[in-house]
Amino acid sequence: MVHLSQDRAPIMEALNKYRSMRVVPFDVPGHKRGRGNKELANFLGEQCLSVDVNSMKPLDNLSHPVSIIREAEELAADAFGAKHAFLMVNGTTSAVQAMVMTACKAGEKIILPRNVHRSAINALIISGAIPVYVNPGVNHELGIPLGMSVAEVEKAILENPDAKAILINNPTYYGICSNLEAITELAHRHQMLVLVDEAHGTHFYFGEDLPASAMSVGADMAAVSMHKSGGSLTQSSFLLINNDISEGYTRQIINLTQTTSGSYLLLSSLDISRKNLALHGKEVFEKVAKMAQYMRDEINRIGGYYAFSKELINADTVYDFDITKLSVHTLDVGLAGIEIYDILRDEYDIQIEFGDIGNILAYISVGDRQLDIERLVAALGEIKRRYAKDRSSIFEHEYITPQIIYTPQEAFYAPKQKLPISESAGYICSEFVMAYPPGIPILAPGERITKEILDYIAYSKEKGCFLTGTEDSKIEHINVLKEE
């Protein structure tokens, strides 16, 4: 295999050349390189707006790339070890949906864990594919879902030999990894495609001593959030394909939903960030891993908090752990993760990634400074001193296994009625309820609403979790299937 020169950034180079030509624009966007919107230009910078341009012959076209975008795709594929890479500007959500829709047509089955991001279940609503859920393992002490057990995946395969694909969420938001290689080999033995939601695993391709990446174990497709740990602009991602997946057909699927007005700000950020990681990723993520480990050690010294890591590995549902993740269990200080999230933001001006009922996640990257790290550690110590309570006041919760009655598409489009959420136990949900982040549904269309789930939703609201997904923005009412 011939490796390409990773010090190229063809989209950035073409934009610089185009800017130097001083072309008179009689095309869109209408701000005309910022001249038509001075306030925006002052806010974002004239240099930024000068490359917010339309697709044209010298700059290629994202929907059908033949020149510089095509070259950027080939460089990305080379960097990630894939057969081909697509530059995605509708976020990893669209990459996950493109994977599912490429692998499965309406009425075909896909095996997946229930603790997937809403984008995967949205893909089932759009496509009409039928989910076969594998319940993830659960860590009862932490109250978090884990990875997929190989034995549970095999059971699902044997019970559903007609399934077309398996979707694996790797790593989870908390850094938990499944046995990607074993599941991939198992699926391929049964002629099923392997799709990996690697939204939080960009660094697996470039760092050392990190969990296996999807492409390295022979998976067929992977959705990679370059904007998370890879340094590109928000909303920019890669979709990687491998093996016998058709590039042309996958692009057709992508073009069903992705914008025809691809932002060159997002595209160039993908191009530049890929170049940076290909050339310097090893050093970048070595530094990130060291920072995360230092913070784990310091936080665990405080007492009460538990910043977990590789000690969770059990060779099955926790096959590996992403040591760049700073996931911290908070219940032993008597505070829900979301409460600490709010205190950090409101009283210490520290914005972490998310807090749920029992945990917080601080996203660590090469952009962090030692001063910032010390500030977060000190704030957590002070929060414990000022706010710690008896753990008995905390709602003990862990992953709730859903009762699946209808497919997501059937339930979402079925005749429905609106009920007060407090009176909905026993009905079938026709919409989502989820805390965002992380965007993993508490309820998804087609699932039975239970008292246990309603108690969890009520507690989440009480503690200040940002709930989304229902037609009612206040989450006071919920749409359920209309009873005949």
Side-chain angles (χ1 to χ4, degrees):
M1 180 177 175
V2 178
H3 284 278
L4 304 178
S5 176
Q6 287 292 336
D7 59 0
R8 293 286 318 284
I11 298 175
M12 179 184 73
E13 293 159 16
L15 286 168
N16 279 332
K17 181 179 178 182
Y18 178 76
R19 184 162 49 191
S20 70
M21 292 167 65
R22 303 178 69 83
V23 172
V24 178
F26 283 101
D27 62 349
V28 297
H31 62 67
K32 300 297 175 83
R33 315 300 184 260
R35 293 194 302 270
N37 192 336
K38 285 298 182 183
E39 187 174 9
L40 183 63
N42 291 338
F43 180 64
L44 293 180
E46 289 185 8
Q47 184 162 344
C48 176
L49 266 66
S50 72
V51 292
D52 181 36
V53 294
N54 191 30
S55 296
M56 61 191 76
K57 194 169 184 179
L59 298 179
D60 209 356
N61 188 298
L62 182 60
S63 299
H64 188 86
V66 295
S67 58
I68 63 159
I69 295 177
R70 178 76 189 181
E71 186 181 352
E73 289 180 341
E74 291 168 353
L75 283 162
D78 180 68
F80 283 87
K83 183 177 84 170
H84 192 74
F86 299 90
L87 279 64
M88 307 294 291
V89 296
N90 282 20
T92 309
T93 288
S94 67
V96 169
Q97 291 170 351
M99 288 198 303
V100 173
M101 292 163 66
T102 298
C104 302
K105 298 179 176 65
E108 294 180 338
K109 294 179 183 175
I110 180 170
I111 297 169
L112 69 166
R114 172 55 180 76
N115 62 320
V116 290
H117 189 266
R118 70 172 294 180
S119 58
I121 300 177
N122 281 344
L124 304 180
I125 293 173
I126 296 167
S127 69
I130 299 170
V132 175
Y133 290 123
V134 175
N135 285 317
V138 174
N139 182 297
H140 297 283
E141 287 72 34
L142 302 178
I144 62 171
L146 303 175
M148 297 169 80
S149 161
V150 176
E152 288 294 316
V153 172
E154 184 171 30
K155 180 172 179 284
I157 288 174
L158 295 176
E159 291 174 354
N160 300 274
D162 54 340
K164 297 297 181 182
I166 294 175
L167 174 68
I168 308 166
N169 181 28
N170 198 78
T172 70
Y173 230 124
Y174 303 98
I176 307 295
C177 297
S178 301
N179 190 341
L180 209 53
E181 185 170 14
I183 294 173
T184 298
E185 290 174 356
L186 177 63
H188 284 170
R189 283 204 304 273
H190 292 269
Q191 290 75 53
M192 297 179 189
L193 297 176
V194 176
L195 322 177
V196 185
D197 180 350
E198 275 185 313
H200 296 275
T202 304
H203 45 294
F204 292 179
Y205 289 90
F206 303 100
E208 286 195 331
D209 301 319
L210 293 176
S213 67
M215 294 295 103
S216 74
V217 302
D220 299 284
M221 305 182 80
V224 179
S225 281
M226 192 68 166
H227 67 92
K228 289 187 170 72
S229 60
S232 65
L233 291 178
T234 296
Q235 201 178 308
S236 59
S237 297
F238 286 117
L239 174 59
L240 310 177
I241 62 171
N242 202 7
N243 305 324
D244 297 325
I245 300 295
S246 164
E247 177 196 334
Y249 180 65
T250 304
R251 197 181 301 279
Q252 286 182 325
I253 295 294
I254 291 169
N255 286 342
L256 290 177
T257 56
Q258 181 159 262
T259 178
T260 55
S261 304
S263 165
Y264 280 87
L265 300 177
L266 299 180
L267 294 173
S268 59
S269 82
L270 282 170
D271 199 24
I272 295 165
S273 300
R274 179 272 314 153
K275 171 187 171 183
N276 181 51
L277 292 189
L279 298 178
H280 309 295
K282 179 181 172 183
E283 310 94 85
V284 165
F285 295 118
E286 183 180 14
K287 178 182 176 183
V288 171
K290 284 181 178 176
M291 287 192 293
Q293 186 58 49
Y294 171 80
M295 295 180 78
R296 265 192 294 276
D297 292 341
E298 292 298 306
I299 290 168
N300 285 334
R301 283 195 190 97
I302 296 170
Y305 298 108
Y306 173 34
F308 47 90
S309 185
K310 287 196 170 210
E311 68 278 1
L312 298 184
I313 290 174
N314 60 17
D316 188 25
T317 51
V318 188
Y319 185 75
D320 208 344
F321 184 83
D322 176 9
I323 57 173
T324 72
K325 292 282 187 299
L326 184 66
S327 301
V328 183
H329 188 61
T330 66
L331 295 189
D332 283 340
V333 294
L335 295 169
I338 185 62
E339 291 178 298
I340 291 177
Y341 171 99
D342 286 339
I343 294 168
L344 284 169
R345 184 196 60 227
D346 296 342
E347 300 187 28
Y348 293 89
D349 294 328
I350 295 173
Q351 180 65 58
I352 59 172
E353 178 67 13
F354 83 92
D356 61 16
I357 296 303
N359 305 274
I360 58 173
L361 173 70
Y363 219 94
I364 313 301
S365 80
V366 72
D368 289 309
R369 303 171 299 173
Q370 188 66 30
L371 181 66
D372 301 326
I373 287 171
E374 301 291 357
R375 185 173 165 186
L376 175 56
V377 172
L380 289 174
E382 196 169 302
I383 288 170
K384 180 194 172 187
R385 180 176 58 79
R386 294 173 61 197
Y387 295 105
K389 294 184 289 192
D390 184 348
R391 179 176 173 140
S392 64
S393 64
I394 291 291
F395 180 85
E396 296 290 343
H397 164 72
E398 61 185 41
Y399 171 76
I400 301 171
T401 301
Q403 299 176 32
I404 314 297
I405 311 300
Y406 295 102
T407 70
Q409 188 183 66
E410 288 171 334
F412 187 80
Y413 291 114
K416 61 192 73 172
Q417 61 184 357
K418 182 178 290 186
L419 291 178
I421 196 166
S422 59
E423 300 173 16
S424 63
Y427 287 86
I428 311 303
C429 187
S430 71
E431 55 187 353
F432 289 98
V433 181
M434 73 201 91
Y436 190 86
I440 296 168
I442 301 167
L443 273 171
E447 297 175 1
R448 188 177 300 282
I449 303 168
T450 65
K451 182 181 183 302
E452 184 184 18
I453 291 170
L454 293 179
D455 287 346
Y456 178 63
I457 291 171
Y459 187 79
S460 298
K461 288 174 70 176
E462 177 191 328
K463 291 297 182 183
C465 290
F466 181 63
L467 297 181
T468 71
T470 53
E471 195 174 321
D472 174 12
S473 62
K474 296 180 180 178
I475 327 288
E476 292 173 351
H477 294 81
I478 191 166
N479 287 332
V480 300
L481 268 64
K482 185 176 288 186
E483 294 191 330
E484 296 180 359

